[in-house]
Amino acid sequence: NVLSGSAGILSQTGIRKPAYYAFRFLQGHGKYKLCQTEHCMVTAESPQDLRVLCFNRKQLGPKYYLLEENSHLPNSLEGLFADVEPVEMELHFQDLPSRPGPYYIRQRILNKDQGAPLTKWIGLGCVPNLTREDLDYLERTSVPEVTLERQMVENGELTLRFTLEANEIRMIYIT
């Protein structure tokens, strides 16, 4: 019940669910849609400000529909998806404007191991009666991981490679 709230973006205790961050990431998109694939959407505010939303959403499998709603244990949720395979991503950008300094690549990553409230709660033993301090801990730590790197762009080209875990959402800002 700690993370219950069914399809909402917040749990009944006020903890932000991954769907909350998916909406936040969508709000951060640029004005101009450049392309979309099965696992990502690229937009821009300007030629030097690209935004990439990546996702590896997994469909629920038949096992999910055989169980009574809210009857599954948090530790067994992974078994309810049709598959949990990661996706290897390679994003190649061409014709980026030349500039004297580096491009900054900021990533906000939310997956099973980085910022997922369910994983944190499982780590606390799935105790149903958490203290306010425990709930505050879950709220503070259930946020996307943030990374920042600098890369020089040569000949207007930039390539990013990474793995998207099952049900991961990742927002990448290239500025």
Side-chain angles (χ1 to χ4, degrees):
N1 290 336
V2 170
L3 295 178
S4 182
S6 299
I9 61 173
L10 297 175
S11 72
Q12 65 188 19
T13 57
I15 297 168
R16 294 172 179 155
K17 294 181 180 182
Y20 171 89
Y21 291 104
F23 282 114
R24 290 266 317 262
F25 292 169
L26 281 170
Q27 289 176 335
H29 259 300
K31 295 176 196 173
Y32 308 104
K33 184 176 175 181
L34 302 179
C35 76
Q36 183 171 348
T37 69
E38 182 182 359
H39 294 288
C40 82
M41 183 168 46
V42 181
T43 63
E45 280 293 311
S46 71
Q48 294 182 352
D49 186 357
L50 301 174
R51 296 158 188 209
V52 184
L53 178 63
C54 300
F55 41 89
N56 186 10
R57 183 179 175 273
K58 298 299 184 178
Q59 298 291 328
L60 290 167
K63 187 176 179 182
Y64 171 81
Y65 299 100
L66 296 175
L67 297 172
E68 187 177 324
E69 190 171 355
N70 294 326
S71 68
H72 34 275
L73 298 173
N75 315 33
S76 67
L77 290 181
E78 209 168 83
L80 299 179
F81 292 97
D83 77 86
V84 290
E85 295 301 313
V87 171
E88 298 298 322
M89 296 288 294
E90 180 173 302
L91 305 174
H92 186 73
F93 299 92
Q94 296 176 297
D95 301 324
L96 293 174
S98 296
R99 42 188 291 182
Y103 274 77
Y104 290 91
I105 295 115
R106 290 175 176 83
Q107 298 189 52
R108 296 193 176 6
I109 305 163
L110 188 65
N111 61 30
K112 179 182 171 199
D113 299 320
Q114 296 171 309
L118 188 60
T119 303
K120 301 280 185 188
W121 186 42
I122 290 170
L124 293 174
C126 298
V127 176
N129 299 323
L130 295 176
T131 67
R132 184 69 241 167
E133 287 178 347
D134 296 336
L135 291 171
D136 288 344
Y137 164 77
L138 280 176
E139 190 173 346
R140 278 191 328 275
T141 59
S142 297
V143 296
E145 180 79 19
V146 177
T147 66
L148 175 61
E149 65 178 291
R150 298 181 326 175
Q151 280 194 27
M152 296 302 288
V153 171
E154 295 182 23
N155 301 321
E157 295 186 6
L158 172 70
T159 300
L160 302 175
R161 291 179 187 88
F162 53 90
T163 302
L164 279 178
E165 298 300 326
N167 293 311
E168 177 175 322
I169 53 175
R170 180 183 296 231
M171 187 69 182
I172 305 169
Y173 300 91
I174 302 169
T175 55

